[in-house]
Amino acid sequence: MSLHVKLEFPSLYCTLPLKLGNVIQIIISSWPSMQNLQFRLIHTTVKMAGGSFTTGGVAKARAEQYKGRVTTHVIIACIVAATGGSLFGYDIGISGGVTSMDDFLQDFFPSVYKHKMHAHENNYCKYDNQGLAAFTSTLYIAGLVASLMASPVTRMYGRRMSIICGGISFLIGAALNAAAVNLGMLIIGRIMLGVGIGFGNQAIPLYLSEMAPSHLRGGLNMMFQVATTFGIFTANMINFGTQKIRPWGWRLSLGLAAVPALLMTIGGIFLPETPNSLVERGSMEKGRKTLEKIRGTRDVDAEFQDMVDASELANSIKHPFRNILEKRNRPELVMAIFMPMFQILTGINSILFYAPVLFQSMGFGRDASLYSSALTGGVLAFSTFISIATVDKLGRRPLLISGGVQMIICQVIVAIILGIKFGENQELSKSYSIFVVIMICLFVVAFGWSWGPLGWTVPSEIFPLEIRSAGQSLTVTVNLLFTFIIAQAFLSLLCSFKFGIFLFFAGWITIMTIFVLVFLPETKGIPIEEMTFMWRRHWFWKRILLETTD
């Protein structure tokens, strides 16, 4: 067995990697002169016959030494950065409304328009068209690819640069969509929107997590979800107004996406970079000054030292995507895959994408369906504030579990009502229609305080710095991959499963609620640089980490 130790001597301004024998020899021979010399363990690697175990970049928990308060700099920066979430939300909300507008269908999907006008035999199959689904889903496959491109940009050039790149790309996409004269132009615009979302979703949750103090990180990180839900609600209201503007109302709906994109781009230019990113890129002095500014105190030694320790290890990692696959990062890898996957498999995006389509399929008139979708958007925006108020008090796990239980109950009730009262060629009665909308709103409320914001918050706060950009990129990629799959398949699933589509999603929510109960430790109040200690205390993950091999 050999032990590789890395010590830091602050009084000598140097860091030395040493073997155990060298350390013992130095201490014995130099003990008289070392008694007053400060040194600190940065990280160790124990090499054994069966492999090795690395402690990581932060070897000592110093959370209780963190100083500072919530400053106006942090609040303003988080609000401006979070506006990028409104891009994601606006597109989710706008797509369903536009694809239900007759003028849009006549211009780009005439076969869907004809089928809609004559489809009386099966309410569930009115909009089943893969071309129409591709209009919605193309954006997300483009975002998936862009999020992989955004990871090295975020790491090498900072979080701000990715935010600015995302805003510019979204501006271009909004202009192309508003001016589209053929399907090709429309799809190219959607691809540019996807690139913008890929960059924004990669950088913004990271930015918020790194700027926020650890005890309020959950609430401030959820500003992204607040902006997303506000974007959805705004889009629904715009759709309700523009569907009455014939024949170009849909162009206004798509073109107004430029407003949040412009705010995100301009905001990104003036935002401060996160101290974590500055330290990671070698700007130590600037990173410390930024940290002092956003914490409102000069006593930031403990937090700054954690950043320095983490950045040393981060800069030693040449291939972060390869590194995230190592066994010592297994808990973070599992969460980076399953949290965003489960977030989409709640079925929420299906309801938000296709709310007008879904409600029209269930027999609501055009105006009634847009009213109903606007209502669900407003409820989602409101419910996110419940999460902000409680996430740093109650914790992540209680919200995820309680939200999951409520979503299961609502999905099952809707499936039962549709299965019994809604046939192939009939409409729901008024009383049952109202009850279905209430159940969907309660489902949306539960999502809004649980998996909606926490599906982004938990992954963004658990990664050590050396794999943080790669981990967030993986999270966004998985989210957009499943968003693409569900967006592309939902209309066909609705046609095939009928009311069973709600039971399909209820089954997934059951699985993910059990997953949280068993595998997700509580991350409330844990500093972002010290998450590694949390995994080593968890009943399951500590077994994996004790067997860690390089």
Side-chain angles (χ1 to χ4, degrees), residues 443-454:
F443 167 83
V444 170
V445 166
F447 177 85
W449 85 52
S450 60
W451 281 89
L454 292 173

Side-chain angles (χ1 to χ4, degrees), residues 4 40 171 344 381 530:
H4 289 260
R40 185 169 56 84
L171 275 171
I344 303 306
E530 297 184 4

